[in-house]
Amino acid sequence: MAVLGLASTGRAVCRFLLREGATVLGLDQKDTLLMQEIVKPLVEAGVTVRLGPHRSEDFRGVDVLVLSPGVSISHPTIKEVSNRIPVWSEIELAYRHLKAPIIGVTGTNGKSTTTVLIGKILEAAGKRVFTGGNLGTPLIEAVGGSWDWIVCEISSFQLEAIREFRPKIGVFLNITDDHLDRHKDFNEYFDAKKRLFEHQRSEDFAVINLDDPLLADWARALSASLIGTSRLRSTSPGAFLRGDELVYGDTRVEESYPLAEANLKGVHNIENMLASIAAARLAFCPPDAIRSVLKTFQPLPHRMEWVGAVKGVDFYDDSKATNVGAVIRAIESMTPTTGEMPREGRSPERLTRKTVLILGGLDKGGDFGLIASQSDRIRHAVLIGQARQRLEEALRGRVETSPAGSMGEAVRSAWKSAEEGDAVLLSPACASFDMFKSYKDRGEQFCEAVRKLAAEVSASGREGSQARKTGSKPSDGGTAKSPKGVYEARMH
């Protein structure tokens, strides 16, 4: 068997195949000293490794080709060899060796939060759970474990090369433009996402966000039992928002979960919680387990995370927002309505605040013009990275913008553009790899820049600011004083 792409997932597949007694060929087009060092343990374990450009002759004698998520099935060499060799994604290989039922979560935004939240609820219900997939631990790592349920985040990349993969419960959160640097257009991207449900049967379940008209229309033809979710109207069977309660119901039962008790805030997280409640109930989790987890679940890092405040201006790290849809949801959550941010302690005048955005990075082909539709909520946008010029063109005449050459410069410029009570929001709408190692690195540099800004403001004799440790909440005005009276940054 051959494995194409030797990043973390590809290496995990190689190790699994070796344990299964297969003869393994590993290929990666990167031929650098770093890659040679990375694959050295595979070579020592018995994998034949070939680095450099892919050639069709490299695949002679291969009976199955397994693709890592980073390798596109539309690569010319892959298209050529697929005529004679079965091409599988990593999740297809894993599925064929897994025994536990799968809850698969896809969509453009909210996948990681929903996946982890479902996993935590199942754990609270006493179930043995593997939680992984696209959010971190490859699904192949679940093979061989004694699990009651497998909960996995699944990307469009992973779904390109499935043949039989079939989740017992499939969750589709939303669909907006993303990854158009890999998919030729939105329709191809949407089609890839739909494949999560391609092999489901009538005894399986599809949890679908019916507020998304594209999903609602498409879901009518599904073979699986449809379980709807909605913030806008009641749906049965399904989960929906009614006033200040999250409700789950079907023909037999209706139960509610107070929104005020949930630790997650924001429009986007209402949708994530509704989907999680529905999936958990379908997996036979009792309501008490759901309530306990909703009360204590912490937002994942770099997803609408409150970092601190400087002179009454709040700073939020949403570095994981790598597409336009995620940015729009983040902006909407900055102006509170039911269940939205900011958290308790805000005075009424804070509810009219505006957002100063930090946007930009490696362009993924999204429609930046959609951000301008939120212009009444945006005070200013600071633009960084490779996509800066296209962002400026898309926002021109609607949103005031300024450029920045570094994260430190962007944070200072955003703070100067904000008024007291506003929020500075790092929500880039782009990938990070032009200026940073990853979205995590981008978020950490943002937090460090905020810390430095607060220290400079305090040292200058102006009113300083303090920020929380991880897990605490902003108080009135966005300032949480530490015992020492100094700024405390998030620590990971």
Side-chain angles (χ1 to χ4, degrees):
M1 295 185 74
V3 180
L4 188 54
L6 298 178
S8 58
T9 297
R11 298 196 302 274
V13 171
C14 287
R15 293 191 294 268
F16 167 76
L17 292 174
L18 285 176
R19 292 195 300 270
E20 292 293 302
T23 300
V24 185
L25 168 66
L27 305 104
D28 197 293
Q29 64 182 3
K30 294 179 182 177
D31 188 5
T32 62
L33 291 176
L34 177 60
M35 179 55 71
Q36 292 169 18
E37 190 65 25
I38 287 173
V39 301
K40 188 175 180 181
L42 294 180
V43 175
E44 294 172 346
V47 177
T48 300
V49 173
R50 295 177 187 166
L51 302 179
H54 309 317
R55 303 168 302 172
S56 59
E57 53 263 36
D58 290 334
F59 301 94
R60 289 174 183 162
V62 171
D63 50 4
V64 175
L65 173 60
V66 181
L67 299 184
S68 293
V71 180
S72 173
I73 197 170
S74 62
H75 187 285
T77 302
I78 308 307
K79 292 177 72 173
E80 178 186 348
V81 301
S82 66
N83 294 324
R84 53 188 171 86
I85 302 172
V87 178
W88 297 354
S89 64
E90 172 258 344
I91 63 171
E92 178 69 23
L93 175 66
Y95 172 75
R96 292 173 182 239
H97 291 82
L98 288 169
K99 299 178 180 179
I102 295 172
I103 301 175
V105 181
T106 199
T108 304
N109 299 304
K111 297 185 297 296
S112 296
T113 294
T114 303
T115 300
V116 175
L117 182 55
I118 294 170
K120 292 294 185 184
I121 294 172
L122 266 64
E123 289 175 1
K127 302 181 188 299
R128 297 168 298 177
V129 185
F130 173 89
T131 303
N134 188 58
L135 63 85
T137 309
L139 187 60
I140 197 71
E141 300 279 13
V143 177
S146 298
W147 313 111
D148 296 316
W149 285 91
I150 306 289
V151 187
C152 55
E153 174 186 328
I154 301 179
S155 72
S156 60
F157 299 171
Q158 294 171 302
L159 290 164
E160 287 178 336
I162 62 168
R163 291 189 168 213
E164 298 178 4
F165 184 86
R166 173 189 163 205
K168 178 65 178 177
I169 303 171
V171 179
F172 206 149
L173 295 169
N174 45 60
I175 187 73
T176 60
D177 285 352
D178 200 8
H179 299 300
L180 299 185
D181 52 340
R182 171 152 165 173
H183 300 290
K184 67 179 182 181
D185 55 29
F186 173 79
N187 288 332
E188 183 179 278
Y189 169 61
F190 190 14
D191 287 343
K193 292 286 192 182
K194 294 175 187 175
R195 298 202 68 197
L196 178 64
F197 305 85
E198 188 173 290
H199 300 110
Q200 283 192 307
R201 303 169 187 167
S202 59
E203 62 267 33
D204 301 322
F205 299 97
V207 178
I208 308 295
N209 179 0
L210 299 181
D211 293 340
D212 189 313
L214 288 176
L215 297 187
D217 183 61
W218 157 77
R220 297 172 186 168
L222 290 174
S223 299
S225 297
L226 176 61
I227 310 297
T229 68
S230 176
R231 286 191 301 111
L232 305 177
R233 60 187 183 276
S234 62
T235 178
S236 181
F240 57 94
L241 179 67
R242 183 170 61 198
D244 58 359
E245 292 184 323
L246 304 169
V247 179
Y248 177 80
D250 54 30
T251 56
R252 299 172 292 104
V253 65
E254 182 174 287
E255 57 206 32
S256 62
Y257 304 86
L259 190 59
E261 293 182 1
N263 197 46
L264 289 174
K265 305 298 178 183
V267 170
H268 57 305
N269 277 323
I270 291 176
E271 296 176 351
N272 297 339
M273 288 187 287
L274 290 171
S276 299
I277 291 168
R281 290 300 280 128
L282 293 170
F284 311 109
C285 292
D288 286 348
I290 296 174
R291 290 190 183 95
S292 67
V293 174
L294 292 181
K295 289 178 181 179
T296 59
F297 188 82
Q298 295 295 323
L300 301 183
H302 313 297
R303 295 162 174 86
M304 295 297 291
E305 240 190 331
W306 185 78
V307 177
V310 180
K311 285 200 73 177
V313 175
D314 288 311
F315 287 79
Y316 286 87
D317 171 10
D318 194 32
S319 183
K320 188 62 169 65
T322 57
N323 60 74
V324 171
V327 175
I328 290 174
R329 290 301 178 89
I331 296 168
E332 290 174 344
S333 292
M334 289 292 102
T335 305
T337 59
T338 301
E340 298 181 359
M341 300 172 75
R343 294 178 178 243
E344 63 273 10
R346 304 298 188 181
S347 57
E349 60 269 20
R350 296 290 297 254
L351 304 187
T352 60
R353 72 177 180 173
K354 289 196 173 185
T355 299
V356 178
L357 285 171
I358 298 178
L359 287 169
L362 189 63
D363 194 346
K364 296 166 66 180
D367 183 359
F368 294 144
L370 295 175
I371 298 174
S373 69
Q374 300 293 313
S375 59
D376 59 329
R377 302 179 187 221
I378 302 170
R379 189 175 303 282
H380 187 86
V382 180
L383 309 181
I384 63 174
Q386 177 259 343
R388 188 167 64 192
Q389 182 175 346
R390 199 164 80 82
L391 277 162
E392 195 279 328
E393 292 171 353
L395 300 178
R396 186 179 297 151
R398 301 286 302 279
V399 177
E400 181 184 87
T401 65
S402 61
S406 68
M407 185 58 76
E409 182 184 348
V411 166
R412 285 171 173 77
S413 177
W415 181 65
K416 291 177 181 177
S417 300
E419 296 183 4
E420 186 172 356
D422 284 350
V424 171
L425 174 65
L426 170 66
S427 197
C430 298
S432 58
F433 304 114
D434 56 338
M435 294 174 63
F436 308 95
K437 297 176 183 177
S438 64
Y439 77 85
K440 296 178 181 178
D441 177 46
R442 177 169 59 190
E444 292 298 339
Q445 290 199 33
F446 172 76
C447 295
E448 177 65 11
V450 176
R451 184 193 66 78
K452 289 182 177 179
L453 173 65
E456 291 171 5
V457 170
S458 180
S460 71
R462 300 164 65 187
E463 180 185 350
S465 172
Q466 295 78 35
R468 62 164 172 84
K469 293 180 179 178
T470 301
S472 64
K473 302 174 182 179
S475 62
D476 186 35
T479 300
K481 293 184 178 180
S482 68
K484 296 182 180 179
V486 297
Y487 183 95
E488 290 186 27
R490 289 188 302 106
M491 302 299 290
H492 293 298

